[in-house]
Amino acid sequence: EVQLVQSGAEVKKPGESLKISCKGSGYSFTNYWIAWVRQMPGKGLEWMGIIYPGDSDTRYSPSFQGQVTFSVDKSNSNAHLQWSSLKASDTAMYYCARHEEPWAGGKGIDYWGQGTLVTVSS
Amino acid sequence: DIQMTQSPSSLSASVGDRVIITCQASQSINKYLNWYQQKQGKAPKLLIYDASNLETGVPSRFSGSGYGTDFTFTISSLQPEDIATYYCQQYDNLPYTFGQGTKLEIK
């Protein structure tokens, strides 16, 4: 069974750093992209970008380029999303999801993590 | 970036009604469009991929159609458990953008 299990909720202050995680299981972790999606309170889904665990190839949405960093640790099938200096506007639910490119026979995002709620407040 | 315009943004319908949501892309995305269902407080769930393919385990009352720039999502007979927000997403051109969502309520 494919599962993506995300780390728990975080409460941080503006200016602090943060790294959240997403652990994949039940499939070959290095053969599928991991997507990150933001959902601000009461708002819609925003695609942040994708990272390929096999070689760490990364594609950021222009809206998030330079604001966050994606990384992976293949040894334990974890993907990470990190901030170096949080802002109040980073308060949101963050989802990781499994993605496969259509040219590889994939169907885009097919499995989602449960989400990690990040709250940034002074 | 490709803009995905969903319509309507909210919808109220009765149990048993046929419900139709549309999604228009600002440029051609071929068939690379997905539909997701997000229930309150939950992660989204894939319902339809490649515009018209039903994901395994999804009830057959859900369907999708379209190609290029214009896409339709249909619930043939609305059930109470279909209360949710529905999103389209294109994955033809980076960044892979979402529509703004359609909130579906039961009358």
mmCIF file of all heavy atoms in Angstrom, chain A residues 37 39 43-47 50 59 61-63 95 99-102 106-110 112-114, chain B residues 1 32 34 36 38 41-46 49-50 55-56 87 89 91-92 94-100:
data_model
loop_
_atom_site.group_PDB
_atom_site.id
_atom_site.type_symbol
_atom_site.label_atom_id
_atom_site.label_comp_id
_atom_site.label_asym_id
_atom_site.label_seq_id
_atom_site.Cartn_x
_atom_site.Cartn_y
_atom_site.Cartn_z
ATOM 1 N N VAL A 37 2.587 20.905 -2.028
ATOM 2 C CA VAL A 37 1.407 21.727 -2.306
ATOM 3 C C VAL A 37 1.041 22.513 -1.048
ATOM 4 O O VAL A 37 0.976 21.934 0.043
ATOM 5 C CB VAL A 37 0.214 20.839 -2.742
ATOM 6 C CG1 VAL A 37 -1.040 21.686 -2.947
ATOM 7 C CG2 VAL A 37 0.555 20.071 -4.016
ATOM 8 N N GLN A 39 -1.656 24.955 1.082
ATOM 9 C CA GLN A 39 -3.052 25.373 1.215
ATOM 10 C C GLN A 39 -3.143 26.328 2.392
ATOM 11 O O GLN A 39 -3.094 25.916 3.557
ATOM 12 C CB GLN A 39 -3.988 24.180 1.404
ATOM 13 C CG GLN A 39 -5.455 24.584 1.356
ATOM 14 C CD GLN A 39 -6.384 23.405 1.217
ATOM 15 O OE1 GLN A 39 -6.162 22.343 1.800
ATOM 16 N NE2 GLN A 39 -7.441 23.565 0.422
ATOM 17 N N LYS A 43 -8.264 28.594 1.863
ATOM 18 C CA LYS A 43 -7.964 28.864 0.453
ATOM 19 C C LYS A 43 -7.753 27.581 -0.339
ATOM 20 O O LYS A 43 -7.869 26.472 0.190
ATOM 21 C CB LYS A 43 -6.705 29.745 0.346
ATOM 22 C CG LYS A 43 -6.828 31.071 1.074
ATOM 23 C CD LYS A 43 -7.947 31.935 0.507
ATOM 24 C CE LYS A 43 -7.988 33.306 1.180
ATOM 25 N NZ LYS A 43 -9.127 34.125 0.684
ATOM 26 N N GLY A 44 -7.428 27.748 -1.607
ATOM 27 C CA GLY A 44 -7.266 26.618 -2.512
ATOM 28 C C GLY A 44 -5.857 26.037 -2.491
ATOM 29 O O GLY A 44 -5.002 26.432 -1.701
ATOM 30 N N LEU A 45 -5.647 25.082 -3.391
ATOM 31 C CA LEU A 45 -4.378 24.372 -3.490
ATOM 32 C C LEU A 45 -3.416 25.151 -4.392
ATOM 33 O O LEU A 45 -3.803 25.613 -5.469
ATOM 34 C CB LEU A 45 -4.599 22.983 -4.064
ATOM 35 C CG LEU A 45 -5.601 22.104 -3.304
ATOM 36 C CD1 LEU A 45 -5.860 20.820 -4.086
ATOM 37 C CD2 LEU A 45 -5.094 21.788 -1.912
ATOM 38 N N GLU A 46 -2.155 25.236 -3.948
ATOM 39 C CA GLU A 46 -1.107 25.906 -4.734
ATOM 40 C C GLU A 46 0.058 24.938 -4.936
ATOM 41 O O GLU A 46 0.619 24.439 -3.961
ATOM 42 C CB GLU A 46 -0.594 27.142 -4.013
ATOM 43 C CG GLU A 46 -1.631 28.210 -3.750
ATOM 44 C CD GLU A 46 -1.025 29.333 -2.914
ATOM 45 O OE1 GLU A 46 -0.441 30.269 -3.501
ATOM 46 O OE2 GLU A 46 -1.132 29.264 -1.663
ATOM 47 N N TRP A 47 0.432 24.716 -6.183
ATOM 48 C CA TRP A 47 1.535 23.814 -6.515
ATOM 49 C C TRP A 47 2.848 24.528 -6.289
ATOM 50 O O TRP A 47 3.123 25.564 -6.909
ATOM 51 C CB TRP A 47 1.378 23.384 -7.964
ATOM 52 C CG TRP A 47 2.272 22.298 -8.418
ATOM 53 C CD1 TRP A 47 2.051 20.960 -8.304
ATOM 54 C CD2 TRP A 47 3.526 22.443 -9.089
ATOM 55 N NE1 TRP A 47 3.104 20.266 -8.865
ATOM 56 C CE2 TRP A 47 4.016 21.150 -9.348
ATOM 57 C CE3 TRP A 47 4.290 23.540 -9.496
ATOM 58 C CZ2 TRP A 47 5.218 20.922 -10.007
ATOM 59 C CZ3 TRP A 47 5.486 23.323 -10.151
ATOM 60 C CH2 TRP A 47 5.945 22.024 -10.395
ATOM 61 N N ILE A 50 8.298 20.221 -7.489
ATOM 62 C CA ILE A 50 8.545 18.794 -7.404
ATOM 63 C C ILE A 50 10.032 18.511 -7.284
ATOM 64 O O ILE A 50 10.866 19.297 -7.737
ATOM 65 C CB ILE A 50 7.991 18.022 -8.634
ATOM 66 C CG1 ILE A 50 8.444 18.695 -9.956
ATOM 67 C CG2 ILE A 50 6.486 17.887 -8.565
ATOM 68 C CD1 ILE A 50 8.030 17.948 -11.213
ATOM 69 N N ARG A 59 12.217 21.115 -9.527
ATOM 70 C CA ARG A 59 11.554 22.156 -10.303
ATOM 71 C C ARG A 59 10.648 22.958 -9.357
ATOM 72 O O ARG A 59 9.720 22.393 -8.796
ATOM 73 C CB ARG A 59 10.704 21.533 -11.428
ATOM 74 C CG ARG A 59 11.403 20.422 -12.184
ATOM 75 C CD ARG A 59 12.515 20.942 -13.067
ATOM 76 N NE ARG A 59 13.318 19.851 -13.611
ATOM 77 C CZ ARG A 59 13.050 19.200 -14.735
ATOM 78 N NH1 ARG A 59 11.961 19.531 -15.442
ATOM 79 N NH2 ARG A 59 13.838 18.230 -15.142
ATOM 80 N N SER A 61 7.984 26.108 -8.566
ATOM 81 C CA SER A 61 7.101 27.119 -9.130
ATOM 82 C C SER A 61 7.779 28.481 -8.955
ATOM 83 O O SER A 61 8.381 28.738 -7.902
ATOM 84 C CB SER A 61 5.762 27.129 -8.392
ATOM 85 O OG SER A 61 5.033 28.297 -8.708
ATOM 86 N N PRO A 62 7.680 29.365 -9.949
ATOM 87 C CA PRO A 62 8.274 30.697 -9.790
ATOM 88 C C PRO A 62 7.792 31.413 -8.535
ATOM 89 O O PRO A 62 8.541 32.205 -7.942
ATOM 90 C CB PRO A 62 7.814 31.436 -11.058
ATOM 91 C CG PRO A 62 7.623 30.352 -12.057
ATOM 92 C CD PRO A 62 7.117 29.169 -11.294
ATOM 93 N N SER A 63 6.573 31.116 -8.101
ATOM 94 C CA SER A 63 6.016 31.772 -6.916
ATOM 95 C C SER A 63 6.734 31.364 -5.638
ATOM 96 O O SER A 63 6.677 32.080 -4.632
ATOM 97 C CB SER A 63 4.521 31.442 -6.780
ATOM 98 O OG SER A 63 3.800 31.893 -7.892
ATOM 99 N N TYR A 95 1.141 19.912 1.968
ATOM 100 C CA TYR A 95 0.979 18.516 1.588
ATOM 101 C C TYR A 95 2.148 18.064 0.718
ATOM 102 O O TYR A 95 2.585 18.812 -0.166
ATOM 103 C CB TYR A 95 -0.293 18.304 0.781
ATOM 104 C CG TYR A 95 -1.583 18.522 1.526
ATOM 105 C CD1 TYR A 95 -2.294 19.710 1.398
ATOM 106 C CD2 TYR A 95 -2.102 17.536 2.355
ATOM 107 C CE1 TYR A 95 -3.494 19.909 2.074
ATOM 108 C CE2 TYR A 95 -3.297 17.720 3.041
ATOM 109 C CZ TYR A 95 -3.986 18.919 2.900
ATOM 110 O OH TYR A 95 -5.166 19.101 3.565
ATOM 111 N N HIS A 99 4.046 12.039 -7.456
ATOM 112 C CA HIS A 99 3.754 12.511 -8.799
ATOM 113 C C HIS A 99 4.553 11.698 -9.794
ATOM 114 O O HIS A 99 5.731 11.408 -9.576
ATOM 115 C CB HIS A 99 4.134 13.992 -8.929
ATOM 116 C CG HIS A 99 4.125 14.528 -10.325
ATOM 117 N ND1 HIS A 99 3.005 15.074 -10.917
ATOM 118 C CD2 HIS A 99 5.098 14.569 -11.270
ATOM 119 C CE1 HIS A 99 3.303 15.444 -12.157
ATOM 120 N NE2 HIS A 99 4.553 15.150 -12.387
ATOM 121 N N GLU A 100 3.916 11.353 -10.913
ATOM 122 C CA GLU A 100 4.643 10.733 -12.011
ATOM 123 C C GLU A 100 4.313 11.463 -13.291
ATOM 124 O O GLU A 100 3.152 11.773 -13.566
ATOM 125 C CB GLU A 100 4.309 9.246 -12.150
ATOM 126 C CG GLU A 100 5.242 8.536 -13.137
ATOM 127 C CD GLU A 100 5.035 7.033 -13.192
ATOM 128 O OE1 GLU A 100 3.955 6.573 -12.823
ATOM 129 O OE2 GLU A 100 5.968 6.329 -13.622
ATOM 130 N N GLU A 101 5.339 11.749 -14.081
ATOM 131 C CA GLU A 101 5.179 12.504 -15.312
ATOM 132 C C GLU A 101 4.391 11.699 -16.351
ATOM 133 O O GLU A 101 4.540 10.482 -16.464
ATOM 134 C CB GLU A 101 6.534 12.876 -15.891
ATOM 135 C CG GLU A 101 7.322 13.842 -15.028
ATOM 136 C CD GLU A 101 6.823 15.272 -15.144
ATOM 137 O OE1 GLU A 101 5.748 15.585 -14.607
ATOM 138 O OE2 GLU A 101 7.525 16.079 -15.784
ATOM 139 N N PRO A 102 3.556 12.389 -17.132
ATOM 140 C CA PRO A 102 2.767 11.678 -18.150
ATOM 141 C C PRO A 102 3.628 10.990 -19.198
ATOM 142 O O PRO A 102 3.260 9.919 -19.682
ATOM 143 C CB PRO A 102 1.898 12.787 -18.763
ATOM 144 C CG PRO A 102 2.543 14.073 -18.373
ATOM 145 C CD PRO A 102 3.234 13.816 -17.073
ATOM 146 N N GLY A 106 2.750 8.154 -16.295
ATOM 147 C CA GLY A 106 2.129 8.491 -15.020
ATOM 148 C C GLY A 106 0.843 9.258 -15.159
ATOM 149 O O GLY A 106 0.435 9.667 -16.249
ATOM 150 N N LYS A 107 0.225 9.483 -14.021
ATOM 151 C CA LYS A 107 -1.054 10.182 -13.981
ATOM 152 C C LYS A 107 -0.983 11.435 -13.125
ATOM 153 O O LYS A 107 -1.950 11.829 -12.493
ATOM 154 C CB LYS A 107 -2.156 9.229 -13.505
ATOM 155 C CG LYS A 107 -1.825 8.452 -12.247
ATOM 156 C CD LYS A 107 -2.983 7.550 -11.782
ATOM 157 C CE LYS A 107 -2.868 6.159 -12.249
ATOM 158 N NZ LYS A 107 -3.793 5.226 -11.527
ATOM 159 N N GLY A 108 0.199 12.052 -13.061
ATOM 160 C CA GLY A 108 0.331 13.243 -12.234
ATOM 161 C C GLY A 108 0.366 12.850 -10.767
ATOM 162 O O GLY A 108 0.944 11.833 -10.389
ATOM 163 N N ILE A 109 -0.295 13.638 -9.918
ATOM 164 C CA ILE A 109 -0.353 13.351 -8.483
ATOM 165 C C ILE A 109 -1.416 12.281 -8.244
ATOM 166 O O ILE A 109 -2.581 12.463 -8.604
ATOM 167 C CB ILE A 109 -0.682 14.619 -7.679
ATOM 168 C CG1 ILE A 109 0.504 15.583 -7.677
ATOM 169 C CG2 ILE A 109 -1.076 14.253 -6.255
ATOM 170 C CD1 ILE A 109 0.231 16.903 -6.958
ATOM 171 N N ASP A 110 -1.006 11.165 -7.624
ATOM 172 C CA ASP A 110 -1.991 10.120 -7.359
ATOM 173 C C ASP A 110 -2.158 9.782 -5.881
ATOM 174 O O ASP A 110 -3.208 9.273 -5.484
ATOM 175 C CB ASP A 110 -1.698 8.854 -8.177
ATOM 176 C CG ASP A 110 -0.311 8.271 -7.946
ATOM 177 O OD1 ASP A 110 0.475 8.866 -7.187
ATOM 178 O OD2 ASP A 110 -0.014 7.217 -8.537
ATOM 179 N N TRP A 112 -1.462 11.314 -1.753
ATOM 180 C CA TRP A 112 -1.183 12.488 -0.938
ATOM 181 C C TRP A 112 -0.828 12.095 0.492
ATOM 182 O O TRP A 112 -1.355 11.113 1.020
ATOM 183 C CB TRP A 112 -2.420 13.399 -0.866
ATOM 184 C CG TRP A 112 -2.838 13.983 -2.166
ATOM 185 C CD1 TRP A 112 -3.435 13.336 -3.220
ATOM 186 C CD2 TRP A 112 -2.710 15.360 -2.570
ATOM 187 N NE1 TRP A 112 -3.677 14.229 -4.245
ATOM 188 C CE2 TRP A 112 -3.262 15.470 -3.863
ATOM 189 C CE3 TRP A 112 -2.213 16.505 -1.944
ATOM 190 C CZ2 TRP A 112 -3.303 16.682 -4.560
ATOM 191 C CZ3 TRP A 112 -2.256 17.711 -2.621
ATOM 192 C CH2 TRP A 112 -2.791 17.785 -3.915
ATOM 193 N N GLY A 113 0.060 12.894 1.106
ATOM 194 C CA GLY A 113 0.259 12.780 2.533
ATOM 195 C C GLY A 113 -0.911 13.408 3.277
ATOM 196 O O GLY A 113 -1.798 14.013 2.668
ATOM 197 N N GLN A 114 -0.889 13.281 4.591
ATOM 198 C CA GLN A 114 -2.005 13.775 5.392
ATOM 199 C C GLN A 114 -1.912 15.279 5.671
ATOM 200 O O GLN A 114 -2.865 15.875 6.160
ATOM 201 C CB GLN A 114 -2.098 12.997 6.725
ATOM 202 C CG GLN A 114 -1.189 13.487 7.848
ATOM 203 C CD GLN A 114 0.232 12.970 7.786
ATOM 204 O OE1 GLN A 114 0.709 12.499 6.744
ATOM 205 N NE2 GLN A 114 0.940 13.071 8.913
ATOM 206 N N ASP B 1 2.867 30.993 -16.783
ATOM 207 C CA ASP B 1 2.119 29.922 -16.131
ATOM 208 C C ASP B 1 0.759 29.740 -16.809
ATOM 209 O O ASP B 1 0.146 30.697 -17.276
ATOM 210 C CB ASP B 1 1.848 30.231 -14.643
ATOM 211 C CG ASP B 1 3.110 30.393 -13.817
ATOM 212 O OD1 ASP B 1 4.220 30.379 -14.423
ATOM 213 O OD2 ASP B 1 2.979 30.541 -12.592
ATOM 214 N N TYR B 32 -3.830 16.277 -20.210
ATOM 215 C CA TYR B 32 -3.182 16.154 -18.910
ATOM 216 C C TYR B 32 -3.840 17.017 -17.848
ATOM 217 O O TYR B 32 -3.305 18.032 -17.382
ATOM 218 C CB TYR B 32 -1.694 16.419 -19.058
ATOM 219 C CG TYR B 32 -1.057 15.446 -20.017
ATOM 220 C CD1 TYR B 32 -0.409 15.862 -21.168
ATOM 221 C CD2 TYR B 32 -1.172 14.064 -19.791
ATOM 222 C CE1 TYR B 32 0.136 14.951 -22.062
ATOM 223 C CE2 TYR B 32 -0.638 13.141 -20.680
ATOM 224 C CZ TYR B 32 0.014 13.594 -21.802
ATOM 225 O OH TYR B 32 0.535 12.683 -22.686
ATOM 226 N N ASN B 34 -6.224 16.523 -14.176
ATOM 227 C CA ASN B 34 -6.765 15.681 -13.114
ATOM 228 C C ASN B 34 -7.855 16.415 -12.348
ATOM 229 O O ASN B 34 -7.877 17.647 -12.310
ATOM 230 C CB ASN B 34 -5.668 15.272 -12.117
ATOM 231 C CG ASN B 34 -4.743 14.206 -12.664
ATOM 232 O OD1 ASN B 34 -4.964 13.662 -13.746
ATOM 233 N ND2 ASN B 34 -3.689 13.915 -11.920
ATOM 234 N N TYR B 36 -9.593 16.372 -8.425
ATOM 235 C CA TYR B 36 -9.422 15.927 -7.055
ATOM 236 C C TYR B 36 -10.624 16.347 -6.225
ATOM 237 O O TYR B 36 -11.239 17.388 -6.474
ATOM 238 C CB TYR B 36 -8.166 16.554 -6.433
ATOM 239 C CG TYR B 36 -6.885 16.207 -7.166
ATOM 240 C CD1 TYR B 36 -6.381 17.046 -8.151
ATOM 241 C CD2 TYR B 36 -6.198 15.036 -6.881
ATOM 242 C CE1 TYR B 36 -5.234 16.727 -8.830
ATOM 243 C CE2 TYR B 36 -5.038 14.705 -7.565
ATOM 244 C CZ TYR B 36 -4.561 15.561 -8.537
ATOM 245 O OH TYR B 36 -3.409 15.238 -9.218
ATOM 246 N N GLN B 38 -11.612 17.168 -2.250
ATOM 247 C CA GLN B 38 -11.078 17.431 -0.921
ATOM 248 C C GLN B 38 -12.235 17.641 0.052
ATOM 249 O O GLN B 38 -12.960 18.633 -0.045
ATOM 250 C CB GLN B 38 -10.148 18.645 -0.896
ATOM 251 C CG GLN B 38 -9.477 18.821 0.464
ATOM 252 C CD GLN B 38 -8.526 19.993 0.543
ATOM 253 O OE1 GLN B 38 -8.723 21.012 -0.105
ATOM 254 N NE2 GLN B 38 -7.472 19.855 1.341
ATOM 255 N N GLY B 41 -11.085 19.205 6.104
ATOM 256 C CA GLY B 41 -10.081 18.716 7.033
ATOM 257 C C GLY B 41 -9.269 17.523 6.542
ATOM 258 O O GLY B 41 -8.492 16.949 7.325
ATOM 259 N N LYS B 42 -9.421 17.168 5.287
ATOM 260 C CA LYS B 42 -8.724 15.993 4.745
ATOM 261 C C LYS B 42 -7.810 16.381 3.581
ATOM 262 O O LYS B 42 -7.951 17.460 2.997
ATOM 263 C CB LYS B 42 -9.732 14.952 4.254
ATOM 264 C CG LYS B 42 -10.656 14.439 5.336
ATOM 265 C CD LYS B 42 -9.903 13.633 6.377
ATOM 266 C CE LYS B 42 -10.848 12.975 7.354
ATOM 267 N NZ LYS B 42 -10.109 12.242 8.419
ATOM 268 N N ALA B 43 -6.909 15.473 3.246
ATOM 269 C CA ALA B 43 -6.077 15.667 2.061
ATOM 270 C C ALA B 43 -6.905 15.441 0.803
ATOM 271 O O ALA B 43 -7.902 14.705 0.839
ATOM 272 C CB ALA B 43 -4.903 14.694 2.090
ATOM 273 N N PRO B 44 -6.526 16.055 -0.299
ATOM 274 C CA PRO B 44 -7.219 15.784 -1.566
ATOM 275 C C PRO B 44 -7.085 14.317 -1.968
ATOM 276 O O PRO B 44 -6.172 13.616 -1.525
ATOM 277 C CB PRO B 44 -6.499 16.696 -2.570
ATOM 278 C CG PRO B 44 -5.891 17.769 -1.742
ATOM 279 C CD PRO B 44 -5.504 17.101 -0.454
ATOM 280 N N LYS B 45 -8.009 13.901 -2.832
ATOM 281 C CA LYS B 45 -8.032 12.528 -3.331
ATOM 282 C C LYS B 45 -8.221 12.572 -4.835
ATOM 283 O O LYS B 45 -9.073 13.321 -5.342
ATOM 284 C CB LYS B 45 -9.187 11.767 -2.680
ATOM 285 C CG LYS B 45 -9.431 10.374 -3.225
ATOM 286 C CD LYS B 45 -10.717 9.795 -2.632
ATOM 287 C CE LYS B 45 -11.075 8.467 -3.267
ATOM 288 N NZ LYS B 45 -12.379 7.956 -2.772
ATOM 289 N N LEU B 46 -7.424 11.795 -5.544
ATOM 290 C CA LEU B 46 -7.541 11.732 -7.006
ATOM 291 C C LEU B 46 -8.808 10.998 -7.408
ATOM 292 O O LEU B 46 -9.045 9.867 -6.962
ATOM 293 C CB LEU B 46 -6.311 11.040 -7.587
ATOM 294 C CG LEU B 46 -6.316 10.804 -9.101
ATOM 295 C CD1 LEU B 46 -6.292 12.133 -9.855
ATOM 296 C CD2 LEU B 46 -5.122 9.932 -9.507
ATOM 297 N N TYR B 49 -8.046 11.010 -13.801
ATOM 298 C CA TYR B 49 -6.753 11.394 -14.357
ATOM 299 C C TYR B 49 -6.812 11.360 -15.873
ATOM 300 O O TYR B 49 -7.690 10.723 -16.456
ATOM 301 C CB TYR B 49 -5.620 10.499 -13.826
ATOM 302 C CG TYR B 49 -5.712 9.048 -14.240
ATOM 303 C CD1 TYR B 49 -5.021 8.574 -15.350
ATOM 304 C CD2 TYR B 49 -6.486 8.148 -13.505
ATOM 305 C CE1 TYR B 49 -5.106 7.254 -15.725
ATOM 306 C CE2 TYR B 49 -6.571 6.822 -13.871
ATOM 307 C CZ TYR B 49 -5.877 6.375 -14.982
ATOM 308 O OH TYR B 49 -5.962 5.065 -15.359
ATOM 309 N N ASP B 50 -5.882 12.062 -16.514
ATOM 310 C CA ASP B 50 -5.853 12.178 -17.973
ATOM 311 C C ASP B 50 -7.213 12.581 -18.522
ATOM 312 O O ASP B 50 -7.678 12.037 -19.538
ATOM 313 C CB ASP B 50 -5.380 10.871 -18.617
ATOM 314 C CG ASP B 50 -3.884 10.634 -18.446
ATOM 315 O OD1 ASP B 50 -3.204 11.532 -17.922
ATOM 316 O OD2 ASP B 50 -3.405 9.547 -18.813
ATOM 317 N N GLU B 55 -10.083 6.887 -11.574
ATOM 318 C CA GLU B 55 -9.104 6.249 -10.712
ATOM 319 C C GLU B 55 -9.707 4.995 -10.072
ATOM 320 O O GLU B 55 -10.921 4.946 -9.777
ATOM 321 C CB GLU B 55 -8.635 7.230 -9.633
ATOM 322 C CG GLU B 55 -7.687 6.684 -8.582
ATOM 323 C CD GLU B 55 -6.296 6.333 -9.107
ATOM 324 O OE1 GLU B 55 -6.127 6.181 -10.335
ATOM 325 O OE2 GLU B 55 -5.377 6.204 -8.281
ATOM 326 N N THR B 56 -8.896 3.988 -9.855
ATOM 327 C CA THR B 56 -9.345 2.734 -9.256
ATOM 328 C C THR B 56 -10.046 2.984 -7.922
ATOM 329 O O THR B 56 -9.545 3.716 -7.068
ATOM 330 C CB THR B 56 -8.142 1.799 -9.031
ATOM 331 O OG1 THR B 56 -7.490 1.572 -10.276
ATOM 332 C CG2 THR B 56 -8.592 0.478 -8.439
ATOM 333 N N TYR B 87 -11.184 20.198 -7.232
ATOM 334 C CA TYR B 87 -10.135 20.971 -7.909
ATOM 335 C C TYR B 87 -9.721 20.267 -9.201
ATOM 336 O O TYR B 87 -9.583 19.027 -9.218
ATOM 337 C CB TYR B 87 -8.890 21.079 -7.038
ATOM 338 C CG TYR B 87 -9.060 21.878 -5.773
ATOM 339 C CD1 TYR B 87 -9.408 21.248 -4.582
ATOM 340 C CD2 TYR B 87 -8.856 23.258 -5.754
ATOM 341 C CE1 TYR B 87 -9.567 21.975 -3.410
ATOM 342 C CE2 TYR B 87 -9.004 23.989 -4.593
ATOM 343 C CZ TYR B 87 -9.357 23.346 -3.425
ATOM 344 O OH TYR B 87 -9.507 24.072 -2.262
ATOM 345 N N GLN B 89 -6.458 20.186 -11.993
ATOM 346 C CA GLN B 89 -5.026 20.494 -12.032
ATOM 347 C C GLN B 89 -4.467 20.046 -13.378
ATOM 348 O O GLN B 89 -4.734 18.915 -13.811
ATOM 349 C CB GLN B 89 -4.253 19.781 -10.920
ATOM 350 C CG GLN B 89 -2.786 20.201 -10.872
ATOM 351 C CD GLN B 89 -1.852 19.110 -10.381
ATOM 352 O OE1 GLN B 89 -2.233 17.959 -10.187
ATOM 353 N NE2 GLN B 89 -0.599 19.486 -10.148
ATOM 354 N N TYR B 91 -1.140 19.068 -15.652
ATOM 355 C CA TYR B 91 0.243 18.622 -15.490
ATOM 356 C C TYR B 91 0.884 18.414 -16.861
ATOM 357 O O TYR B 91 1.616 17.439 -17.088
ATOM 358 C CB TYR B 91 0.345 17.368 -14.605
ATOM 359 C CG TYR B 91 -0.510 16.195 -15.006
ATOM 360 C CD1 TYR B 91 0.063 15.067 -15.588
ATOM 361 C CD2 TYR B 91 -1.878 16.191 -14.784
ATOM 362 C CE1 TYR B 91 -0.706 13.979 -15.941
ATOM 363 C CE2 TYR B 91 -2.653 15.108 -15.140
ATOM 364 C CZ TYR B 91 -2.071 14.014 -15.717
ATOM 365 O OH TYR B 91 -2.842 12.933 -16.075
ATOM 366 N N ASP B 92 0.602 19.348 -17.740
ATOM 367 C CA ASP B 92 1.229 19.332 -19.068
ATOM 368 C C ASP B 92 2.439 20.252 -19.113
ATOM 369 O O ASP B 92 3.438 19.929 -19.762
ATOM 370 C CB ASP B 92 0.198 19.760 -20.120
ATOM 371 C CG ASP B 92 0.731 19.605 -21.538
ATOM 372 O OD1 ASP B 92 1.128 18.470 -21.909
ATOM 373 O OD2 ASP B 92 0.766 20.612 -22.266
ATOM 374 N N LEU B 94 5.021 22.917 -16.763
ATOM 375 C CA LEU B 94 5.431 23.457 -15.471
ATOM 376 C C LEU B 94 5.194 24.968 -15.426
ATOM 377 O O LEU B 94 5.397 25.648 -16.442
ATOM 378 C CB LEU B 94 6.921 23.175 -15.239
ATOM 379 C CG LEU B 94 7.294 21.725 -14.977
ATOM 380 C CD1 LEU B 94 8.797 21.528 -15.147
ATOM 381 C CD2 LEU B 94 6.861 21.307 -13.586
ATOM 382 N N PRO B 95 4.810 25.508 -14.278
ATOM 383 C CA PRO B 95 4.376 24.825 -13.047
ATOM 384 C C PRO B 95 2.985 24.201 -13.207
ATOM 385 O O PRO B 95 2.131 24.756 -13.902
ATOM 386 C CB PRO B 95 4.370 25.961 -12.025
ATOM 387 C CG PRO B 95 4.070 27.194 -12.817
ATOM 388 C CD PRO B 95 4.735 26.983 -14.152
ATOM 389 N N TYR B 96 2.770 23.094 -12.548
ATOM 390 C CA TYR B 96 1.532 22.335 -12.699
ATOM 391 C C TYR B 96 0.410 22.936 -11.850
ATOM 392 O O TYR B 96 0.200 22.562 -10.721
ATOM 393 C CB TYR B 96 1.773 20.877 -12.322
ATOM 394 C CG TYR B 96 2.776 20.157 -13.198
ATOM 395 C CD1 TYR B 96 3.586 19.160 -12.679
ATOM 396 C CD2 TYR B 96 2.918 20.469 -14.551
ATOM 397 C CE1 TYR B 96 4.503 18.480 -13.480
ATOM 398 C CE2 TYR B 96 3.830 19.802 -15.360
ATOM 399 C CZ TYR B 96 4.620 18.813 -14.821
ATOM 400 O OH TYR B 96 5.527 18.161 -15.613
ATOM 401 N N THR B 97 -0.333 23.819 -12.403
ATOM 402 C CA THR B 97 -1.271 24.677 -11.686
ATOM 403 C C THR B 97 -2.628 24.031 -11.419
ATOM 404 O O THR B 97 -3.107 23.200 -12.201
ATOM 405 C CB THR B 97 -1.486 25.973 -12.468
ATOM 406 O OG1 THR B 97 -1.598 25.674 -13.874
ATOM 407 C CG2 THR B 97 -0.303 26.919 -12.294
ATOM 408 N N PHE B 98 -3.231 24.481 -10.313
ATOM 409 C CA PHE B 98 -4.575 24.062 -9.913
ATOM 410 C C PHE B 98 -5.602 25.128 -10.290
ATOM 411 O O PHE B 98 -5.280 26.326 -10.350
ATOM 412 C CB PHE B 98 -4.652 23.869 -8.399
ATOM 413 C CG PHE B 98 -3.912 22.677 -7.877
ATOM 414 C CD1 PHE B 98 -2.603 22.801 -7.438
ATOM 415 C CD2 PHE B 98 -4.524 21.429 -7.805
ATOM 416 C CE1 PHE B 98 -1.910 21.702 -6.939
ATOM 417 C CE2 PHE B 98 -3.836 20.324 -7.312
ATOM 418 C CZ PHE B 98 -2.532 20.463 -6.878
ATOM 419 N N GLY B 99 -6.839 24.683 -10.493
ATOM 420 C CA GLY B 99 -7.949 25.617 -10.530
ATOM 421 C C GLY B 99 -8.236 26.114 -9.118
ATOM 422 O O GLY B 99 -7.695 25.592 -8.138
ATOM 423 N N GLN B 100 -9.123 27.103 -9.004
ATOM 424 C CA GLN B 100 -9.358 27.727 -7.700
ATOM 425 C C GLN B 100 -10.307 26.933 -6.818
ATOM 426 O O GLN B 100 -10.485 27.260 -5.638
ATOM 427 C CB GLN B 100 -9.893 29.154 -7.889
ATOM 428 C CG GLN B 100 -11.373 29.252 -8.241
ATOM 429 C CD GLN B 100 -11.653 29.110 -9.729
ATOM 430 O OE1 GLN B 100 -10.849 28.579 -10.501
ATOM 431 N NE2 GLN B 100 -12.819 29.593 -10.132
#
